[in-house]
Amino acid sequence: MHRPLLAALLAALSLAGSVHAQPAPAPAREAVVANDTDRILQELYVHRLGADEGPDRLGSGVLPPRATLRVPLGRTRDCNFEARAVFEGGDEMRRRADLCRSPRIAFADTGPVREVTVSNQSDRVVRELYLAPAGSRGGRGREWGADRLGSGTVATGEDFRLRLRNMAGCSVDVRVVYDDDEEEVRERQDVCRSPRLAFGDPNLPVREVTVTNRGRRMLRELYARAAGREGWGGDRLGAEMIDPRGDFRLRLRGESCRFDLRAVFEDNREEVQRGLDLCAQQRVGFGAPVIGEGGARRVTLVNGFSRTVREAYLSPADSDDWGEDALENEVIAPGAHRALPMEGGCRADLRIVFDNDSAEERRDIDICALGTLALRPGWTVDELAAEGPGDGVKEPQPGSIRLRNAGGLPVVELYADPPGGKRGEDRLGRTVLGTGEAMDFAPPGGPGECQADLVAVFRDGRELALPGTDLCAGREVVLQ
């Protein structure tokens, strides 16, 4: 009877011993990370000493200045941890901590703060900026560290202020990357003596030109380069666009006066002008269709039908799109005529829509040979240049003058204002008067206002002033 009781007692003592022999669970560790700087902490890594860094503890968030964050580290008996913080601008700090003694890991600025101003004196946008202590890179580009601009840029003529912390010395190496991928490096710059660093050659002359959008669509991108150079570089407009009839002041630096300009409109149509002399030319226009040196074509439609023409579409013969109604909100009444701009080459397709919604089309018209298109029943391409108001008449229409462009460049603006008065609206509107072309011009205010100060503006910005012109003289006026 005593033996079973003794055996049970021994078994209980053995079980109790095994329970007391099990180790206690590892404690849950937690770090309290404090951002005691005046900068935003963008990335944070906390890990056991000697282990991999692991994931960014901030995830998609940030730690603002003077803020703290509790970072759970799981159960572990390890006490020694390491933390790495990445701040805005790319600066990094590392800290080691014994979390068994104190869970707090603090990041604070301890060294002097130096302010450096980087000035973009080039004619290109600075896309990237790198800075490192002098001689610390070992000649390898990947050792420059993070781009100090982040997602920003430094436009032509602008400055960027950079604050450098925890720098023991004054000598730094600086590298900028422009928007055309070219680089410029300045080594061993003493930012204590000269805290302003200029990139680009400020001694190069500045060329300024006004770029005008003469088209109907927004001008979305603008590129410039020295004539004969490869690559276009970055968009000079940046986040801006040029509205129809709007202007943009373009500043370029360069030894030479000649530049190539390229414009891209919102419909992806491109236009390039090469070898422009920006020393002599103060204005460049894009958007008016250019055919060689003749400028945009001006086509006159004469309505010989008994019905009103409500819409008119004139598009290049190789285009799949009729484009916009060239009449906009106007119409061509029976017997009336209307001048339209042609966007494209010499070969064009024409579609007219009447006030009863019926329509007619003609294809592959040579508008370089036919300046006036007579619309009438049964019309054919061969008959388009036949009679119509002004057709076949050598002299200007009564009560008007004929303007002939002999100036070598298209006339892009035309002003006719009362003698001695202020300049009013551009009378050419959305078209131009090409080289060698002529147009009849009547007094804008009617037959009773024949005297006017006439000013023609050519594509290179040159102006021809003809004060006190009689707009009713019935004669030809040569513009040159």
Side-chain angles (χ1 to χ4, degrees), residues 205 207 226-227 252 254-260 275-280:
R207 318 295 183 189
L252 303 168
E255 292 283 0
S256 173
C257 292
R258 297 200 172 273
F259 286 82
D260 300 336
L276 299 173
D277 186 350
L278 300 189
C279 296

Side-chain angles (χ1 to χ4, degrees), residues 401-408 411 433 436-439 454 456 458 462 464-466 469 475-480:
I401 60 173
R402 178 160 297 162
L403 300 177
R404 184 172 300 280
N405 181 10
V411 174
L433 181 61
E437 296 183 344
M439 62 176 286
L454 197 67
F458 294 88
R462 181 173 64 88
L464 174 64
L466 301 171
T469 302
R475 64 185 178 89
E476 182 170 281
V477 176
V478 179
L479 308 175
Q480 60 183 4

